[in-house]
Amino acid sequence: MAVDTARPAPVPAPPERGTAPIRSIRDPAQTVVRRLVLIAAVAACAAMYVLHMSLPPNPLSPPQQDQQKVRLFIPQGWGFFTISPRRAQLSPMRPASGGGWTDAGAGHLAVPADGFGVNRIRRAQGTEMALLLRGVRAGDWTPCSEQPGQCLAAVRPLGRVHNLAARPTLCGPVGFVRQEPLPWAWRASAGRTVMPSSVLRLEVAC
């Protein structure tokens, strides 16, 4: 009679103490989706909270203390997204070398030269103009029904002011124009339609 001399299969030894447990492998795509969903949920909650703060007081309004804390981080609130598109825009002008007046604005923000908005120097021109016009009264502006450059050539400088900006962009004779944008319904006649405006001239010392 034959005897089976085969040895039984060895039993794996238990993991030694201090050995890291085997973790399950997660799908990277699922991890990314979960994180995106979490970020979207947090952003949606924050947006709803800010929107609710702009509503009149009601039983669901957040406590006043919480509203003050939120305004520390989002001082503009929902008003940043509800600015009227018909609001008059302020733009600077300077005398052109060949006569007349030309645009003196710092330009658009989203350009490659400024890292598509990373460099905020162009944005600072708005604060610079506000400082230059801080002593101007409403009656100092001159109504204009023609091209703003023509009206600036006809008015006299209101006075002389000092530019306190760290990096001034407006020096010497500077004209300021307040003008409403052309309505979208009139876009086809943009080349022959001039919106009413008001102009002002200053001598700016830098």
Side-chain angles (χ1 to χ4, degrees), residues 9 13-14 28 54 63 67 69 93 97 112 119 135 141 149 161 170 179 191 198 205:
S54 63
Q67 295 184 20
K69 294 178 181 179
M93 301 187 73
S97 57
N119 190 341
W141 293 87
V161 296
L170 302 173
Q179 188 177 35
S198 54

Side-chain angles (χ1 to χ4, degrees), residues 18-58:
T19 304
I22 300 176
R23 298 181 179 180
S24 60
I25 301 177
R26 296 182 179 179
D27 187 2
Q30 294 182 357
T31 303
V32 172
V33 171
R34 291 176 181 175
R35 292 179 179 178
L36 291 178
V37 171
L38 179 60
I39 294 175
V42 173
C45 292
M48 293 299 297
Y49 197 89
V50 174
L51 174 61
H52 196 75
M53 287 174 52
S54 63
L55 299 177
N58 56 78

Side-chain angles (χ1 to χ4, degrees), residues 110-122:
V111 293
D114 291 341
F116 295 99
V118 176
N119 190 341
R120 309 298 290 177
I121 293 179
R122 298 179 189 268

Side-chain angles (χ1 to χ4, degrees), residues 45-129:
C45 292
M48 293 299 297
Y49 197 89
V50 174
L51 174 61
H52 196 75
M53 287 174 52
S54 63
L55 299 177
N58 56 78
L60 299 179
S61 297
Q64 189 67 23
Q65 296 180 353
D66 294 346
Q67 295 184 20
Q68 294 178 358
K69 294 178 181 179
V70 173
R71 289 193 178 96
L72 292 176
F73 297 95
I74 312 177
Q76 292 177 320
W78 194 255
F80 179 81
F81 304 97
T82 57
I83 297 177
S84 174
R86 297 295 305 276
R87 187 181 63 171
Q89 298 179 357
L90 178 65
S91 57
M93 301 187 73
R94 62 167 53 97
S97 57
W101 289 76
T102 183
D103 181 31
H108 301 285
L109 290 176
V111 293
D114 291 341
F116 295 99
V118 176
N119 190 341
R120 309 298 290 177
I121 293 179
R122 298 179 189 268
R123 184 69 175 177
Q125 192 180 61
T127 304
E128 181 182 358
M129 290 190 294

Side-chain angles (χ1 to χ4, degrees), residues 104-195:
H108 301 285
L109 290 176
V111 293
D114 291 341
F116 295 99
V118 176
N119 190 341
R120 309 298 290 177
I121 293 179
R122 298 179 189 268
R123 184 69 175 177
Q125 192 180 61
T127 304
E128 181 182 358
M129 290 190 294
L131 292 174
L132 294 175
L133 298 173
R134 65 185 183 278
V136 175
R137 298 169 298 182
D140 295 332
W141 293 87
T142 301
C144 177
S145 58
E146 302 176 349
Q147 291 289 349
Q150 299 177 3
C151 296
L152 286 173
V155 299
R156 301 180 61 180
L158 181 63
R160 184 180 180 87
V161 296
H162 292 274
N163 195 334
L164 303 178
R167 297 182 179 180
T169 61
L170 302 173
C171 300
V174 180
F176 297 91
V177 180
R178 292 192 310 186
Q179 188 177 35
E180 292 185 3
L182 186 71
W184 177 256
W186 299 355
R187 63 188 183 279
S189 60
R192 57 182 184 274
T193 302
V194 179
M195 296 294 294

